[in-house]
Each structure stands twice: as structure tokens, then as C-alpha cells.
Amino acid sequence: KDPVKMRVTLLSRAKRPYVPLFIWNVLRPSFSFQFPSLLPSFNTYPATQGSASVESVKGSSFMLFSPTNAPNAGHSHWANIKHHKAKKDLEKAKTFGRIASLIKTAVKIGGPDLSQNSLLAQHIETAKKMGFPKEKITAALDSGSGKDDNCERIIYEGRGPDKVILMVIVDTDNKNRSNQFVRNAFTKNGGTIGAPGSASFMFSKEGVLHFADPFEGSQEKLFDAMLEGGDDIKSFEFIGDDQIEVIVEPSALASVKQNLHAQGLVKCTKAEIVFKPQSEITLDDPTAWKKFYNILIELDDVVDVVHNATWEEDEE
């Protein structure tokens, strides 16, 4: 039998094999002779960026790819797209959880009235710009004002990969669901959940307030204002070009903010309660820890993951 005809027959029986164009150029004369009725049915699809030029034959089951326009390997184009998209989605998820927490805190400090609570108005405006769902904003407002009685805060304490100490902060309306998700994440990724207090002693809880500077950098005026702010102020300083940071007792966050408002610090740009590690662990290779952290932060009810790990970021 004609070997060329046999080869074309085998190709047509295969499950849509891809034939390089230089091979097709060799086979095409014999193909034209053996199957002249198929020649009018050639369709050529123009190549697009990142794809191959394709010649297909109606009635056949194979496609022809030009080696000059062959698609890139998956690791060089599509995999990069997926990598960057996953990274952006993760950053978005982290930000959404953070914004929800800030909205709740702002409501507790200054109430739900936007006209009287500029910090809350600022957080909601930021949330809308970032595409934060409207129902999520409503849920955060209800939770902060106490309307959502079913929502509660749970803090899971434990250790992660490389002996990193961490706390997972969760706001949930279904304790059993959150408990299952968080425990599964720990169990399947090298973490261990400890008893209450097993990790929290490693972190100090502080209230943080940021204000726009109305004193034009005057240390004397700032000091006088802090004296009137109350005994719960731990420290204060100018940061950046036009900001003042005030560290306070967590329970006095609202009262100190109100006292300082009366002293001219009227534009509050940040008000939140944070956990700061008393000591840190430096990781040479944070790969395992980052994977664990990403899994936790992506869980639906997780607001924040506080930890004592630090590492040097790779330059991109």
C-alpha cells in the first residue's frame, strides 16, 4: 500500500492529532491526489496572539498547526496569567475581610450615622470603590451596631509550619461551620490548634488611631493635645508628612478619639485594634508558611490571621 495514504489514514483515525505545517506541506500533494473531493472544503482560521494558525479539513479529524505561530508552553503564558489572577484574587479576599473588620470597628466607635462618623464614611467609600458587595457592607454595619445578634467573634490560637505562632480571627454567624473549616485547614496543612491562651500571650493588643496633622508639625501643640486626651494614651508621634499616630488602650479607643477631637484632631484616618507580636521568627524559606496563611485567609469567615513570622521578600 501507498505509505503516504496509510499515514493520512492513520492521522484521520486518531483523536484530533495536531500535525505540524512542515509535515503537511510534504503530505499535501499526495493528499490532494488521494482525496481531491476534500480540497474545496479547506478552511483557514487567522492566528491570534498566543494561538496557532489552523488549517482544518471538513470531514477530517485532524488540525494543522504552523510551527512559527505555535502556542507558548503552558508555563510561560497561561500559567503566568493564572498565577497573577490567583494572586490578585487572594489580595482582594484579604482586603475585603480587612474592610469588613474596619467597618465593624468604626460603627462601634462612632455609631452607624455616616454624617456623624467620618471614619465609617471613609471605609464605606473605600469598600465601594473596590467593588465590595453591598450586602457585605450591610452585614458589617449590622454586626458592628449589634443588630446581627447571631454574629460572634472567635479567635483560634495555634502553631503553623516552621513553628510560627498565630491567631486566626473569625467573625461568623455559624460557629460549627467555621470551626470545621478552620480545624481542617490546620490539620491538612501542618498546623496545630492549641488551647485558648496558648498563643495570645505572645501578642500585645493595642488601639491605633491616626489623625491628619492640624498642628503643622508642632511638637508643643501635639504634646498639649495629648495631655488632654486622657490617661489611656500609651504613645504618640508624627508619621509621614502630615499624620499623627496615637497608641492607646484597646478599651479606650472610642473615648480617646472623642477627647482628641475636642483638641483639634478632627480628621481621623484610622481607628482599629491590632495585635503586635512581642517577638518574631525569621523564616529562611517561607513557602510552606505562605501556603498555609493563604489557605486560612481565604476561608469565608476569617477576618485576619495574626502571626509572628517575618522573611525577606524576593525581588520580582
Side-chain angles (χ1 to χ4, degrees), residues 155-179:
I155 298 180
Y156 296 90
E157 305 178 31
R159 289 179 180 267
D162 301 314
K163 299 181 179 180
V164 175
I165 298 175
L166 71 151
M167 296 192 298
V168 183
I169 303 173
V170 174
D171 285 342
T172 181
D173 58 357
N174 189 324
K175 184 176 181 179
N176 292 333
R177 178 193 64 209
S178 297
N179 186 61

PDB file of all heavy atoms in Angstrom, residues 155-179:
ATOM      1  N   ILE A 155     -11.544  33.476  68.190  1.00  0.00           N
ATOM      2  CA  ILE A 155     -10.113  33.531  67.914  1.00  0.00           C
ATOM      3  C   ILE A 155      -9.518  32.149  68.149  1.00  0.00           C
ATOM      4  O   ILE A 155      -9.592  31.606  69.250  1.00  0.00           O
ATOM      5  CB  ILE A 155      -9.408  34.571  68.807  1.00  0.00           C
ATOM      6  CG1 ILE A 155      -9.965  35.966  68.529  1.00  0.00           C
ATOM      7  CG2 ILE A 155      -7.903  34.545  68.551  1.00  0.00           C
ATOM      8  CD1 ILE A 155      -9.324  37.062  69.363  1.00  0.00           C
ATOM      9  N   TYR A 156      -8.965  31.584  67.080  1.00  0.00           N
ATOM     10  CA  TYR A 156      -8.290  30.288  67.164  1.00  0.00           C
ATOM     11  C   TYR A 156      -6.788  30.538  67.324  1.00  0.00           C
ATOM     12  O   TYR A 156      -6.203  31.331  66.592  1.00  0.00           O
ATOM     13  CB  TYR A 156      -8.544  29.459  65.907  1.00  0.00           C
ATOM     14  CG  TYR A 156      -9.996  29.093  65.699  1.00  0.00           C
ATOM     15  CD1 TYR A 156     -10.849  29.919  64.973  1.00  0.00           C
ATOM     16  CD2 TYR A 156     -10.517  27.915  66.221  1.00  0.00           C
ATOM     17  CE1 TYR A 156     -12.188  29.588  64.780  1.00  0.00           C
ATOM     18  CE2 TYR A 156     -11.856  27.572  66.038  1.00  0.00           C
ATOM     19  CZ  TYR A 156     -12.681  28.419  65.312  1.00  0.00           C
ATOM     20  OH  TYR A 156     -14.008  28.082  65.119  1.00  0.00           O
ATOM     21  N   GLU A 157      -6.188  29.854  68.274  1.00  0.00           N
ATOM     22  CA  GLU A 157      -4.765  30.018  68.546  1.00  0.00           C
ATOM     23  C   GLU A 157      -4.020  28.720  68.239  1.00  0.00           C
ATOM     24  O   GLU A 157      -4.574  27.637  68.417  1.00  0.00           O
ATOM     25  CB  GLU A 157      -4.544  30.416  70.004  1.00  0.00           C
ATOM     26  CG  GLU A 157      -5.309  31.664  70.412  1.00  0.00           C
ATOM     27  CD  GLU A 157      -5.115  32.016  71.877  1.00  0.00           C
ATOM     28  OE1 GLU A 157      -4.018  31.727  72.408  1.00  0.00           O
ATOM     29  OE2 GLU A 157      -6.045  32.563  72.483  1.00  0.00           O
ATOM     30  N   GLY A 158      -2.798  28.849  67.766  1.00  0.00           N
ATOM     31  CA  GLY A 158      -2.041  27.636  67.472  1.00  0.00           C
ATOM     32  C   GLY A 158      -0.701  27.921  66.834  1.00  0.00           C
ATOM     33  O   GLY A 158      -0.179  29.043  66.905  1.00  0.00           O
ATOM     34  N   ARG A 159      -0.166  26.872  66.212  1.00  0.00           N
ATOM     35  CA  ARG A 159       1.115  26.966  65.513  1.00  0.00           C
ATOM     36  C   ARG A 159       0.951  26.495  64.071  1.00  0.00           C
ATOM     37  O   ARG A 159       0.150  25.605  63.795  1.00  0.00           O
ATOM     38  CB  ARG A 159       2.179  26.106  66.204  1.00  0.00           C
ATOM     39  CG  ARG A 159       2.639  26.643  67.554  1.00  0.00           C
ATOM     40  CD  ARG A 159       3.659  25.731  68.190  1.00  0.00           C
ATOM     41  NE  ARG A 159       4.094  26.242  69.485  1.00  0.00           N
ATOM     42  CZ  ARG A 159       5.149  27.022  69.675  1.00  0.00           C
ATOM     43  NH1 ARG A 159       5.898  27.373  68.625  1.00  0.00           N
ATOM     44  NH2 ARG A 159       5.481  27.458  70.867  1.00  0.00           N
ATOM     45  N   GLY A 160       1.737  27.090  63.179  1.00  0.00           N
ATOM     46  CA  GLY A 160       1.726  26.701  61.782  1.00  0.00           C
ATOM     47  C   GLY A 160       3.044  26.059  61.394  1.00  0.00           C
ATOM     48  O   GLY A 160       3.860  25.712  62.254  1.00  0.00           O
ATOM     49  N   PRO A 161       3.283  25.891  60.111  1.00  0.00           N
ATOM     50  CA  PRO A 161       4.570  25.362  59.647  1.00  0.00           C
ATOM     51  C   PRO A 161       5.725  26.218  60.150  1.00  0.00           C
ATOM     52  O   PRO A 161       5.582  27.428  60.360  1.00  0.00           O
ATOM     53  CB  PRO A 161       4.445  25.431  58.120  1.00  0.00           C
ATOM     54  CG  PRO A 161       2.978  25.429  57.858  1.00  0.00           C
ATOM     55  CD  PRO A 161       2.353  26.163  59.002  1.00  0.00           C
ATOM     56  N   ASP A 162       6.884  25.602  60.344  1.00  0.00           N
ATOM     57  CA  ASP A 162       8.094  26.282  60.804  1.00  0.00           C
ATOM     58  C   ASP A 162       7.925  26.912  62.188  1.00  0.00           C
ATOM     59  O   ASP A 162       8.588  27.905  62.524  1.00  0.00           O
ATOM     60  CB  ASP A 162       8.530  27.365  59.796  1.00  0.00           C
ATOM     61  CG  ASP A 162       8.793  26.796  58.419  1.00  0.00           C
ATOM     62  OD1 ASP A 162       9.474  25.759  58.342  1.00  0.00           O
ATOM     63  OD2 ASP A 162       8.311  27.374  57.424  1.00  0.00           O
ATOM     64  N   LYS A 163       6.996  26.356  62.981  1.00  0.00           N
ATOM     65  CA  LYS A 163       6.772  26.790  64.367  1.00  0.00           C
ATOM     66  C   LYS A 163       6.319  28.245  64.484  1.00  0.00           C
ATOM     67  O   LYS A 163       6.574  28.916  65.489  1.00  0.00           O
ATOM     68  CB  LYS A 163       8.037  26.562  65.201  1.00  0.00           C
ATOM     69  CG  LYS A 163       8.466  25.105  65.276  1.00  0.00           C
ATOM     70  CD  LYS A 163       9.708  24.938  66.138  1.00  0.00           C
ATOM     71  CE  LYS A 163      10.120  23.462  66.216  1.00  0.00           C
ATOM     72  NZ  LYS A 163      11.333  23.274  67.053  1.00  0.00           N
ATOM     73  N   VAL A 164       5.639  28.723  63.466  1.00  0.00           N
ATOM     74  CA  VAL A 164       5.094  30.075  63.503  1.00  0.00           C
ATOM     75  C   VAL A 164       3.888  30.097  64.442  1.00  0.00           C
ATOM     76  O   VAL A 164       2.979  29.267  64.332  1.00  0.00           O
ATOM     77  CB  VAL A 164       4.674  30.544  62.098  1.00  0.00           C
ATOM     78  CG1 VAL A 164       3.998  31.907  62.178  1.00  0.00           C
ATOM     79  CG2 VAL A 164       5.886  30.602  61.187  1.00  0.00           C
ATOM     80  N   ILE A 165       3.869  31.049  65.365  1.00  0.00           N
ATOM     81  CA  ILE A 165       2.742  31.204  66.283  1.00  0.00           C
ATOM     82  C   ILE A 165       1.720  32.137  65.638  1.00  0.00           C
ATOM     83  O   ILE A 165       2.086  33.179  65.092  1.00  0.00           O
ATOM     84  CB  ILE A 165       3.220  31.765  67.630  1.00  0.00           C
ATOM     85  CG1 ILE A 165       4.196  30.780  68.283  1.00  0.00           C
ATOM     86  CG2 ILE A 165       2.046  32.020  68.556  1.00  0.00           C
ATOM     87  CD1 ILE A 165       4.822  31.289  69.562  1.00  0.00           C
ATOM     88  N   LEU A 166       0.454  31.761  65.696  1.00  0.00           N
ATOM     89  CA  LEU A 166      -0.563  32.557  65.016  1.00  0.00           C
ATOM     90  C   LEU A 166      -1.904  32.529  65.738  1.00  0.00           C
ATOM     91  O   LEU A 166      -2.174  31.651  66.563  1.00  0.00           O
ATOM     92  CB  LEU A 166      -0.767  32.061  63.585  1.00  0.00           C
ATOM     93  CG  LEU A 166      -1.466  30.707  63.406  1.00  0.00           C
ATOM     94  CD1 LEU A 166      -2.215  30.676  62.090  1.00  0.00           C
ATOM     95  CD2 LEU A 166      -0.466  29.561  63.439  1.00  0.00           C
ATOM     96  N   MET A 167      -2.716  33.508  65.386  1.00  0.00           N
ATOM     97  CA  MET A 167      -4.107  33.568  65.827  1.00  0.00           C
ATOM     98  C   MET A 167      -4.984  33.836  64.608  1.00  0.00           C
ATOM     99  O   MET A 167      -4.673  34.734  63.819  1.00  0.00           O
ATOM    100  CB  MET A 167      -4.309  34.653  66.878  1.00  0.00           C
ATOM    101  CG  MET A 167      -3.547  34.424  68.174  1.00  0.00           C
ATOM    102  SD  MET A 167      -4.075  35.521  69.506  1.00  0.00           S
ATOM    103  CE  MET A 167      -3.660  37.120  68.836  1.00  0.00           C
ATOM    104  N   VAL A 168      -6.039  33.065  64.475  1.00  0.00           N
ATOM    105  CA  VAL A 168      -6.978  33.233  63.364  1.00  0.00           C
ATOM    106  C   VAL A 168      -8.231  33.901  63.914  1.00  0.00           C
ATOM    107  O   VAL A 168      -8.918  33.334  64.777  1.00  0.00           O
ATOM    108  CB  VAL A 168      -7.327  31.879  62.718  1.00  0.00           C
ATOM    109  CG1 VAL A 168      -8.249  32.082  61.523  1.00  0.00           C
ATOM    110  CG2 VAL A 168      -6.064  31.145  62.293  1.00  0.00           C
ATOM    111  N   ILE A 169      -8.516  35.096  63.426  1.00  0.00           N
ATOM    112  CA  ILE A 169      -9.659  35.875  63.921  1.00  0.00           C
ATOM    113  C   ILE A 169     -10.834  35.674  62.980  1.00  0.00           C
ATOM    114  O   ILE A 169     -10.736  35.935  61.777  1.00  0.00           O
ATOM    115  CB  ILE A 169      -9.293  37.360  64.032  1.00  0.00           C
ATOM    116  CG1 ILE A 169      -8.072  37.521  64.961  1.00  0.00           C
ATOM    117  CG2 ILE A 169     -10.468  38.175  64.550  1.00  0.00           C
ATOM    118  CD1 ILE A 169      -7.518  38.924  65.005  1.00  0.00           C
ATOM    119  N   VAL A 170     -11.956  35.223  63.536  1.00  0.00           N
ATOM    120  CA  VAL A 170     -13.117  34.842  62.741  1.00  0.00           C
ATOM    121  C   VAL A 170     -14.353  35.586  63.241  1.00  0.00           C
ATOM    122  O   VAL A 170     -14.587  35.667  64.450  1.00  0.00           O
ATOM    123  CB  VAL A 170     -13.357  33.315  62.834  1.00  0.00           C
ATOM    124  CG1 VAL A 170     -14.656  32.927  62.136  1.00  0.00           C
ATOM    125  CG2 VAL A 170     -12.186  32.554  62.242  1.00  0.00           C
ATOM    126  N   ASP A 171     -15.113  36.154  62.323  1.00  0.00           N
ATOM    127  CA  ASP A 171     -16.445  36.682  62.621  1.00  0.00           C
ATOM    128  C   ASP A 171     -17.453  35.807  61.891  1.00  0.00           C
ATOM    129  O   ASP A 171     -17.426  35.735  60.660  1.00  0.00           O
ATOM    130  CB  ASP A 171     -16.579  38.138  62.152  1.00  0.00           C
ATOM    131  CG  ASP A 171     -15.849  39.108  63.055  1.00  0.00           C
ATOM    132  OD1 ASP A 171     -15.545  38.730  64.201  1.00  0.00           O
ATOM    133  OD2 ASP A 171     -15.557  40.242  62.620  1.00  0.00           O
ATOM    134  N   THR A 172     -18.341  35.157  62.621  1.00  0.00           N
ATOM    135  CA  THR A 172     -19.208  34.170  61.983  1.00  0.00           C
ATOM    136  C   THR A 172     -20.598  34.158  62.598  1.00  0.00           C
ATOM    137  O   THR A 172     -20.784  34.517  63.765  1.00  0.00           O
ATOM    138  CB  THR A 172     -18.587  32.759  62.100  1.00  0.00           C
ATOM    139  OG1 THR A 172     -19.420  31.814  61.463  1.00  0.00           O
ATOM    140  CG2 THR A 172     -18.391  32.363  63.559  1.00  0.00           C
ATOM    141  N   ASP A 173     -21.567  33.733  61.793  1.00  0.00           N
ATOM    142  CA  ASP A 173     -22.926  33.508  62.287  1.00  0.00           C
ATOM    143  C   ASP A 173     -23.214  32.012  62.410  1.00  0.00           C
ATOM    144  O   ASP A 173     -24.347  31.613  62.674  1.00  0.00           O
ATOM    145  CB  ASP A 173     -23.958  34.168  61.361  1.00  0.00           C
ATOM    146  CG  ASP A 173     -23.853  33.658  59.935  1.00  0.00           C
ATOM    147  OD1 ASP A 173     -22.943  32.846  59.659  1.00  0.00           O
ATOM    148  OD2 ASP A 173     -24.671  34.075  59.097  1.00  0.00           O
ATOM    149  N   ASN A 174     -22.182  31.195  62.165  1.00  0.00           N
ATOM    150  CA  ASN A 174     -22.324  29.745  62.268  1.00  0.00           C
ATOM    151  C   ASN A 174     -21.024  29.186  62.856  1.00  0.00           C
ATOM    152  O   ASN A 174     -20.074  28.895  62.137  1.00  0.00           O
ATOM    153  CB  ASN A 174     -22.616  29.135  60.897  1.00  0.00           C
ATOM    154  CG  ASN A 174     -22.985  27.668  60.980  1.00  0.00           C
ATOM    155  OD1 ASN A 174     -22.459  26.934  61.802  1.00  0.00           O
ATOM    156  ND2 ASN A 174     -23.887  27.233  60.119  1.00  0.00           N
ATOM    157  N   LYS A 175     -21.008  29.038  64.154  1.00  0.00           N
ATOM    158  CA  LYS A 175     -19.787  28.631  64.855  1.00  0.00           C
ATOM    159  C   LYS A 175     -19.312  27.240  64.419  1.00  0.00           C
ATOM    160  O   LYS A 175     -18.115  27.008  64.250  1.00  0.00           O
ATOM    161  CB  LYS A 175     -20.042  28.659  66.359  1.00  0.00           C
ATOM    162  CG  LYS A 175     -18.819  28.354  67.197  1.00  0.00           C
ATOM    163  CD  LYS A 175     -19.138  28.488  68.676  1.00  0.00           C
ATOM    164  CE  LYS A 175     -17.905  28.195  69.532  1.00  0.00           C
ATOM    165  NZ  LYS A 175     -18.214  28.362  70.979  1.00  0.00           N
ATOM    166  N   ASN A 176     -20.250  26.322  64.234  1.00  0.00           N
ATOM    167  CA  ASN A 176     -19.881  24.958  63.853  1.00  0.00           C
ATOM    168  C   ASN A 176     -19.222  24.903  62.478  1.00  0.00           C
ATOM    169  O   ASN A 176     -18.245  24.180  62.259  1.00  0.00           O
ATOM    170  CB  ASN A 176     -21.112  24.049  63.871  1.00  0.00           C
ATOM    171  CG  ASN A 176     -21.638  23.828  65.281  1.00  0.00           C
ATOM    172  OD1 ASN A 176     -20.881  23.902  66.247  1.00  0.00           O
ATOM    173  ND2 ASN A 176     -22.929  23.576  65.409  1.00  0.00           N
ATOM    174  N   ARG A 177     -19.753  25.695  61.540  1.00  0.00           N
ATOM    175  CA  ARG A 177     -19.185  25.721  60.191  1.00  0.00           C
ATOM    176  C   ARG A 177     -17.759  26.264  60.219  1.00  0.00           C
ATOM    177  O   ARG A 177     -16.847  25.661  59.652  1.00  0.00           O
ATOM    178  CB  ARG A 177     -20.058  26.585  59.292  1.00  0.00           C
ATOM    179  CG  ARG A 177     -19.531  26.739  57.861  1.00  0.00           C
ATOM    180  CD  ARG A 177     -20.263  27.848  57.137  1.00  0.00           C
ATOM    181  NE  ARG A 177     -20.024  29.141  57.759  1.00  0.00           N
ATOM    182  CZ  ARG A 177     -20.886  30.149  57.737  1.00  0.00           C
ATOM    183  NH1 ARG A 177     -22.061  30.019  57.162  1.00  0.00           N
ATOM    184  NH2 ARG A 177     -20.589  31.301  58.331  1.00  0.00           N
ATOM    185  N   SER A 178     -17.585  27.388  60.902  1.00  0.00           N
ATOM    186  CA  SER A 178     -16.255  27.989  60.965  1.00  0.00           C
ATOM    187  C   SER A 178     -15.268  27.081  61.683  1.00  0.00           C
ATOM    188  O   SER A 178     -14.108  26.956  61.270  1.00  0.00           O
ATOM    189  CB  SER A 178     -16.331  29.345  61.689  1.00  0.00           C
ATOM    190  OG  SER A 178     -17.142  30.244  60.963  1.00  0.00           O
ATOM    191  N   ASN A 179     -15.722  26.442  62.737  1.00  0.00           N
ATOM    192  CA  ASN A 179     -14.855  25.545  63.497  1.00  0.00           C
ATOM    193  C   ASN A 179     -14.350  24.400  62.620  1.00  0.00           C
ATOM    194  O   ASN A 179     -13.157  24.045  62.641  1.00  0.00           O
ATOM    195  CB  ASN A 179     -15.618  24.989  64.698  1.00  0.00           C
ATOM    196  CG  ASN A 179     -14.737  24.173  65.616  1.00  0.00           C
ATOM    197  OD1 ASN A 179     -13.769  24.674  66.186  1.00  0.00           O
ATOM    198  ND2 ASN A 179     -15.059  22.897  65.764  1.00  0.00           N
TER     199      ASN A 179
END
